[in-house]
Amino acid sequence: INELVKAAVICNEASLKKKDGKWVSHGDAVDIALLAMGYKHSLEPGMALRDIEVLREIPFESDRKFSAKFYRHGPGVRVAVKGAFEVISAFCDGIDRKSAQRRLKALSGTGHRVIAVAEGEITGKNDHGYYEEDLRGLNFLGFIGLIDPLRPEAVEAVNTCKKAGIKVIMITGDHPATALTIGKSLGVAQTGENVVEGRELDRFDEKSGDFVEIVNNKSVFARVAPLQKLHIVNALAESGNFIAVTGDGVNDAPALKKAHISVAMGSGTDVAKDVSSMIVVDDNFASVVAGVEEGRYAYDNIRKVVYLLVSTGAAEIVLFMLAILFNTPIPLMAVQLLWLNLVTNGIQGVGLAFEKGEKETMQRPPKSPGEGIFNELMVKETAISGISMGIVAYAMWTALLAGGASEYSARNMVLLLMVLFENIHVFNCRSEYKTVFKIPFRNNIIVITGVIAAQALHIISMNIPIMQEVLDIEPVGFEQWLYALGLAGSILVIMELFKFFRKKTIIYQ
């Protein structure tokens, strides 16, 4: 055990020191953990390195899967190595490989990240240089198992991704058994059939159909080299997937750069951060999922605002087109249209942008990147609501004129109706899917306030002489206001029926 701990401390690229009563560390988390093990074993790294002269260091690389440090201690030259057992074992003599494999499998099966450690003397070599080919005849010292515990929120984050139609893939350099255990804990893998090793991928050309098929049907990739990670991302992208990649190391940079969205960890290397679209400062996968959720909420709110503005604008167009078609006077003046679009609708549109996200948003499949805001649902809802409001407004306009009302008074009532339409229709726009009656008012107090403010502003304007003159409006009685409100309520009934029958159709299909 002493030799094992000493070799792990010597063959190390990190630093861990106590400064002002606090532990300060730099380097890879695994190397830092090994230095912590040294302290706990009463082997301070500084003391272990004090009497040795480092001659050469082979840093850890994912392609190599090991690191080594050549050093002079006394009259001879020695080397300490650590890394994947399948690589380290090739440098050693006298190993009971079957026994070691059983131990490795047992540790990996419990979710440990397993590191093999060896040490030995370099013989028959001068000081002109020490290389990988000199790693022969070493003594295998044993395994070190490290637990990298899952964050409590990680499992829930993966479950959320599944519900949202997002496939989570794990790519790691760990042993397949370790990767499978972690994959099962996360819910990413169920059996060993979900796991594929890097050496299996090497059997296929990265552009072949077999390679693409494997990549699309597996969810855990173990013992993967950096270049293979890039090939996996390429294959997924060419299959039509929209790819987000997380990473923290230099070797992750090519895959991060290739991904549609690249996410670097805050504790990662500068290279990874430089090529990434964003940086997650808390190194938490749940934060990535939360970002997806917020992004969907923001996109939905953009759609809601567009839906409100375009549908009410379409209603005005329908109103004017009907007036032209049936050769009746113009229902609204230019200044009244400006009042509708810039003041009353503008206040509500801003409020709608603050709508709280719907829980069901993360239970719907992702939208295609090529899909525009005006998809089939948006077109149907915009057309139905716009045409309905336009027809009802025109019917009121012709009815008032036929009843002997002056154009001035009729326009005043049509303008009030359009304002009330906007006041009520904004509640339809709060969700493209859910009924108005299942969305609590507390989810968006701003839009409620905006509706009240818009209606109050219009009523006040009808009673202020200067605004009466500017907008060509006049006060109305309470009965007339209720009459207009009743007509405006028709848009609520129409859109509720649309949502109801659409839901029934989807369930039937």
Side-chain angles (χ1 to χ4, degrees):
I1 292 176
N2 290 336
E3 293 300 316
L4 175 71
V5 175
K6 183 178 179 181
V9 170
I10 291 174
C11 183
N12 203 292
E13 301 169 47
S15 67
L16 178 64
K17 296 179 181 179
K18 204 165 190 178
K19 186 177 181 182
D20 299 330
K22 295 182 180 180
W23 289 102
V24 180
S25 61
H26 297 283
D28 181 74
V30 170
D31 278 346
I32 293 170
L34 296 179
L35 293 180
M37 179 183 67
Y39 279 107
K40 293 176 182 179
H41 196 69
S42 301
L43 182 64
E44 187 177 337
M47 297 296 291
L49 299 173
R50 185 178 61 179
D51 298 328
I52 71 172
E53 176 191 354
V54 178
L55 301 175
R56 183 168 187 263
E57 185 175 356
I58 300 177
F60 179 83
E61 293 288 347
S62 297
D63 290 332
R64 291 196 194 98
K65 299 179 183 176
F66 81 93
S67 61
K69 188 171 285 187
F70 297 87
Y71 62 96
R72 190 185 301 281
H73 183 64
V77 174
R78 307 190 70 81
V79 64
V81 297
K82 69 179 194 311
F85 175 70
E86 59 265 30
V87 177
I88 300 300
S89 61
F91 303 150
C92 302
D93 291 337
I95 303 180
D96 183 350
R97 281 182 168 77
K98 288 186 178 180
S99 176
Q101 286 284 4
R102 285 196 298 271
R103 188 47 139 171
L104 172 64
K105 188 175 181 180
L107 279 169
S108 300
T110 54
H112 284 80
R113 177 179 293 181
V114 184
I115 298 173
V117 183
E119 187 267 351
E121 185 175 359
I122 303 298
T123 58
K125 184 78 176 180
N126 55 35
D127 288 345
H128 291 306
Y130 298 92
Y131 303 96
E132 186 174 337
E133 54 265 28
D134 298 316
L135 300 175
R136 298 289 182 271
L138 305 183
N139 302 315
F140 179 66
L141 300 177
F143 293 117
I144 298 174
L146 300 97
I147 284 288
D148 188 4
L150 294 174
R151 292 175 184 258
E153 61 271 26
V155 177
E156 183 59 33
V158 172
N159 288 334
T160 301
C161 285
K162 288 181 179 179
K163 293 175 184 176
I166 301 169
K167 182 180 179 181
V168 179
I169 292 175
M170 189 170 77
I171 305 176
T172 177
D174 288 343
H175 189 277
T178 304
L180 176 58
T181 302
I182 296 173
K184 283 182 176 179
S185 300
L186 283 171
V188 173
Q190 286 74 44
T191 66
E193 294 182 357
N194 301 122
V195 182
V196 63
E197 286 189 66
R199 63 183 179 183
E200 294 179 45
L201 295 176
D202 281 336
R203 293 163 42 201
F204 305 98
D205 182 84
E206 66 271 15
K207 294 185 179 179
S208 68
D210 291 334
F211 184 88
V212 173
E213 183 178 358
I214 289 175
V215 168
N216 280 286
N217 291 316
K218 301 295 181 180
S219 55
V220 177
F221 298 83
R223 287 286 193 253
V224 171
L227 192 58
Q228 288 178 322
K229 189 172 184 179
L230 175 61
H231 293 159
I232 291 169
V233 172
N234 279 330
L236 290 170
E238 289 172 5
S239 299
N241 296 290
F242 196 82
I243 313 296
V245 173
T246 64
D248 57 6
V250 174
N251 294 325
D252 295 323
L256 288 168
K257 192 173 181 66
K258 176 65 179 179
H260 297 101
I261 301 174
S262 47
V263 184
M265 299 296 107
S267 62
T269 61
D270 290 337
V271 174
K273 294 176 184 177
D274 287 343
V275 300
S276 294
S277 312
M278 64 184 74
I279 300 170
V280 177
V281 295
D282 61 358
D283 292 9
N284 195 337
F285 179 70
S287 297
V288 179
V289 179
V292 174
E293 188 174 38
E294 288 300 321
R296 288 193 176 189
Y297 290 163
Y299 180 75
D300 283 352
N301 284 357
I302 291 170
R303 286 176 59 92
K304 291 169 186 176
V305 174
V306 171
Y307 172 28
L308 173 67
L309 298 178
V310 176
S311 59
T312 52
E316 295 163 9
I317 292 173
V318 170
L319 175 61
F320 276 81
M321 291 296 293
L322 289 173
I324 294 171
L325 182 63
F326 292 103
N327 196 27
T328 55
I330 295 175
L332 293 172
M333 307 298 291
V335 68
Q336 293 172 334
L337 286 173
L338 287 173
W339 176 256
L340 272 176
N341 295 328
L342 297 181
V343 182
T344 55
N345 219 17
I347 294 173
Q348 297 177 167
V350 171
L352 196 59
F354 292 92
E355 187 68 31
K356 186 178 179 181
E358 302 172 44
K359 293 180 181 179
E360 294 79 7
T361 298
M362 289 300 284
Q363 297 173 7
R364 300 182 188 119
K367 296 183 183 295
S368 169
E371 179 183 300
I373 288 182
F374 281 93
N375 60 1
E376 182 181 355
L377 176 59
M378 174 72 87
V379 170
K380 285 181 179 179
E381 290 187 324
T382 302
I384 292 172
S385 58
I387 292 172
S388 299
M389 288 187 287
I391 290 175
V392 172
Y394 182 74
M396 181 186 188
W397 168 247
T398 55
L400 289 171
L401 292 179
S406 67
E407 291 183 14
Y408 184 90
S409 297
R411 286 195 184 98
N412 181 59
M413 284 298 295
V414 171
L415 179 60
L416 174 61
L417 175 64
M418 293 301 291
V419 171
L420 286 167
F421 264 139
E422 292 174 355
N423 293 154
I424 293 175
H425 187 49
V426 71
F427 293 100
N428 291 323
C429 300
R430 293 182 69 194
S431 176
E432 297 178 61
Y433 309 92
K434 294 171 65 175
T435 172
V436 168
F437 305 105
K438 287 188 177 181
I439 307 173
F441 287 151
R442 64 177 179 274
N443 281 9
N444 193 347
I445 299 300
I446 297 175
V447 80
I448 307 302
T449 306
V451 169
I452 296 171
Q455 181 60 210
L457 185 62
H458 187 72
I459 292 173
I460 291 170
S461 298
M462 287 193 296
N463 291 275
I464 298 176
I466 187 172
M467 294 304 294
Q468 292 173 352
E469 184 178 347
V470 170
L471 297 177
D472 283 339
I473 56 179
E474 62 184 2
V476 298
F478 184 66
E479 291 184 0
Q480 290 176 297
W481 184 85
L482 282 179
Y483 170 67
L485 179 63
L487 289 176
S490 63
I491 191 60
L492 185 64
V493 175
I494 291 169
M495 297 314 298
E496 283 295 300
L497 288 172
F498 171 79
K499 291 176 184 178
F500 175 79
F501 286 112
R502 178 179 178 273
K503 184 176 181 181
K504 286 289 185 183
T505 303
I506 292 174
I507 292 173
Y508 180 76
Q509 289 175 344

